[in-house]
Amino acid sequence: MRRDAETARRSPAFAIVAAACRAAATGEGDFIDYPPPHPGGDAILAMAMRHRVSTPVLRILARDPALDADTATRLLELARERQLSALRLSSALVAVSQELSKAGIRHLVLKGPALSQRLYDDLAARDCKDIDIFIDPAARTPAEAAIADLGFRRTHTATTPGDPWRASLAPKDVSFRSRDGSIELELHDRLFDVAQLLPLSFDHFWSMHETLAVAGTTLPILSATDDFLYLCGHGALCGWFRLKWLQDIARIFASGSPAALAGFAEAADRLGVRPMTTSAATLVEQIFGLPLSGAIGDAHSSASLRIVNRSREALAAPAAASNAPSIPRLVRMLMMQLGLRRDWRYRREVLARALLSQSDVDMVKLPYFARGLYYPLRPFLLALRRLRPKRS
C-alpha cells in the first residue's frame, strides 16, 4: 500500500496539479513547468477533482499547451461552477453572520469564503462546499433558533439533552441544510473533535479575534495565529488528504512576514503542537518545492516525521480511501494523531474517541446500565457498518 501510494504521489498527474497549486499559492505565474511525460487530460481532471483544487488552479491547468481542448474546456467549466458556488456560499454566509450578530451571539467564521478572501483577496479562490461557523458553546440553542429563522434545518437528530456521556462522543459540529437544500451549514462548538488538540476556550479565541470586510459587512474570524494553528491541526488530523489544504499553508508562508511566522512558531511551542506545524512546513517543501520557513523549521522529531510520512501516503490515496480506510491505515493514522500534541490529556482523549464513536452508540441502543458493552462490541459494530450499503 505504501509503495503504491508513493508511486501515485510521483505520478505525472500529481506533479502537474501540485505545480499548479504552487503557482496559485505563490503568484509566480500562470504557467507550470513539469518534466515529461504528460499523463493526458483525463488523468489531470481526475487528480484535480480528487484534491478539490481551487478555481485559479483549474484555470492554470486549463492553460497547459499540452492539454487537449476538450479537457481544457471541462476544467474551465468546473472552475466556473466552483466560482458560482463560492459566491452563493458567500451570500449565505453574510446572511447567517448578520443574523447571529443581530441576536447577540458571539461567533467566528472558519475556512470557506472568509479564508479565501483573507489569503487570496478573492471570495471564489478556494473550493468551498459548506459554511463553517464556530459559536459560543453557551449559545448553541439561541444560535440554532437564529439560523432556523433563515430556513436552515438540522440534518441529524440532536444529542439527548442532559447526557454528558453521549455529548462527549458527539462530533465537533452539527450540520444544517437550507430550505432548498443547496447550502450546508455546520455550527461548531469546538474547533476539533479532540478538543485538547488546541485546549483554548472560546473566550480566548474571541478575545483575540479579527474582522474581515466581505460584501459590505464585517465578519468575525480567528486571529492570524489561531487560524494558522487551526489549519495545521485540521490538515494534520486528516493526514493532509487534499493538496488544497497544503496550498493554503504555502500561501501563508509565501505572504506572511518573518515576524508573523515567528509568532506562529512561538504559539505552537507554547501549546505543545510544534509537530503539526513543522510537518506542514516540511510537506510544503517536499510537495511544492518551496523553501522551508526558517521561523517554523523542518520536521526532525519522530512525531513530525510520522505526520509527514502518513500524509504523503494519504495525499496519494484514492478519494474513496477516506470513506472506508483499511484497518492498518486506521492504526497508522491513530499513531500519527497521538503525536500531534505532547500532552497526556490530549492523548487520552484521542484514545477514548478511537475506542468508541457516536456512530456506534446510534447503531445499537443499549440501556444506561449496559453502556460498558459498547467497548467490546466495537469491532463487530465497525464490521457491520462496513457491510451496510451506503446511501446515495
Side-chain angles (χ1 to χ4, degrees), residues 59 84 105 127 141 156 158 178-179 185 197 200-201 212 239 271 273 283 288 291 295 317 330 346 366 372 389:
R59 289 174 176 157
L84 290 173
I105 297 167
D127 177 33
T141 300
H156 294 92
S178 59
R179 188 177 289 109
L185 165 64
L197 181 55
L200 301 168
S201 67
L212 183 72
L271 292 167
V273 293
L283 284 165
F288 297 143
L330 284 173
Y346 163 73
L366 294 179

Side-chain angles (χ1 to χ4, degrees), residues 169-217:
L169 300 174
K172 65 186 181 302
D173 52 55
V174 179
S175 295
F176 299 80
R177 282 245 172 227
S178 59
R179 188 177 289 109
D180 63 1
S182 64
I183 304 291
E184 183 178 1
L185 165 64
E186 293 184 347
L187 287 186
H188 298 241
D189 59 18
R190 58 190 186 277
L191 292 181
F192 305 108
D193 284 333
V194 181
Q196 284 292 325
L197 181 55
L198 281 183
L200 301 168
S201 67
F202 181 87
D203 287 337
H204 160 84
F205 293 116
W206 183 256
S207 70
M208 304 295 291
H209 87 276
E210 301 172 15
T211 57
L212 183 72
V214 172
T217 193

